[in-house]
Amino acid sequence: ETGVTQSPTHLIKTRGQQVTLRCSSQSGHNTVSWYQQALGQGPQFIFQYYREEENGRGNFPPRFSGLQFPNYSSELNVNALELDDSALYLCASSSPTSRVEYFGPGTRLLVL
Amino acid sequence: DAKTTQPPSMDCAEGRAANLPCNHSTISGNEYVYWYRQIHSQGPQYIIHGLKNNETNEMASLIITEDRKSSTLILPHATLRDTAVYYCIVRSDHFGNEKLTFGTGTRLTIIP
């Protein structure tokens, strides 16, 4: 069974640019959540997608947006990047039965 | 979401049981206690979760007090690979409100 995968592993962008991060959920999982983890802090919930619809959102501005595709993979898009967006971005997926979230390895984004 | 309180750091000798406490005095009836851990710069790893009964799996045991206001995660025979930040999280089981709210966790160091 393949776990949650994310791409790319590392990314460097400049302030004002846009970025797209990708996540493939674990087999059989139809729910994907995204988290942001700044250095030295715990992960913070961005939003969750269930069956291609947003199903809950944390305290993040609208320039953070997402998509979920029919195969349950997902994208996180961030527009107008700011220096404070530098963080580890984590994707987690869960199944309709167990609801336990399993995390991917993350994408480390550096905004210069 | 109910808040959790954990000690910022703990040490444990290799081969001994590591007991990690967590207070969640405002937990409500539909909220589960989850434990995750995060080894440096990796995605969080699910350990165990429970509602009110004690739980055990291949990784750990979870002891929840009868009033559910606190819990203890037990790693029965700690190894050096158990060195990580451990997060205790209280999570609702209501659809659409299942986000994981991470605090700062307990940094567990296993001493050789």
Side-chain angles (χ1 to χ4, degrees), chain A residues 38-90:
Chain A
L39 199 61
Q41 299 181 21
Q44 301 297 307
F45 174 74
I46 303 175
F47 43 55
Q48 182 182 83
Y49 278 83
Y50 170 72
R51 292 187 175 180
E52 303 176 59
E53 297 287 331
E54 188 177 288
N55 182 44
R57 187 179 182 93
N59 188 27
F60 281 81
R63 59 188 185 85
F64 286 78
S65 63
L67 282 174
Q68 187 180 31
F69 301 99
N71 67 355
Y72 304 129
S73 65
S74 178
E75 288 182 354
L76 165 65
N77 299 290
V78 187
N79 294 322
L81 283 167
E82 301 176 0
L83 298 180
D84 285 349
D85 295 333
S86 295
L88 180 68
Y89 287 86
L90 295 158

Side-chain angles (χ1 to χ4, degrees), chain A residues 2-5 23-27 29-32 71-73 93:
Chain A
T2 305
V4 179
T5 60
C23 171
S24 290
S25 59
Q26 191 166 318
S27 175
H29 289 189
N30 61 2
T31 303
V32 172
N71 67 355
Y72 304 129
S73 65
S93 71

Side-chain angles (χ1 to χ4, degrees), chain B residues 10-19 75 78 80 83 108-112:
Chain B
M10 294 180 62
D11 293 338
C12 178
E14 187 178 16
R16 303 297 294 269
N19 296 275
L75 308 177
L80 298 179
T83 292
L108 176 67
T109 302
I110 306 302
I111 310 298

Side-chain angles (χ1 to χ4, degrees), chain A residues 31 45 48 50 54-58 99, chain B residues 1 91-99:
Chain A
T31 303
F45 174 74
Q48 182 182 83
Y50 170 72
E54 188 177 288
N55 182 44
R57 187 179 182 93
R99 313 307 303 161
Chain B
D1 295 329
R91 183 195 192 203
S92 169
D93 68 346
H94 283 167
F95 181 72
N97 191 28
E98 297 169 295
K99 65 181 185 293

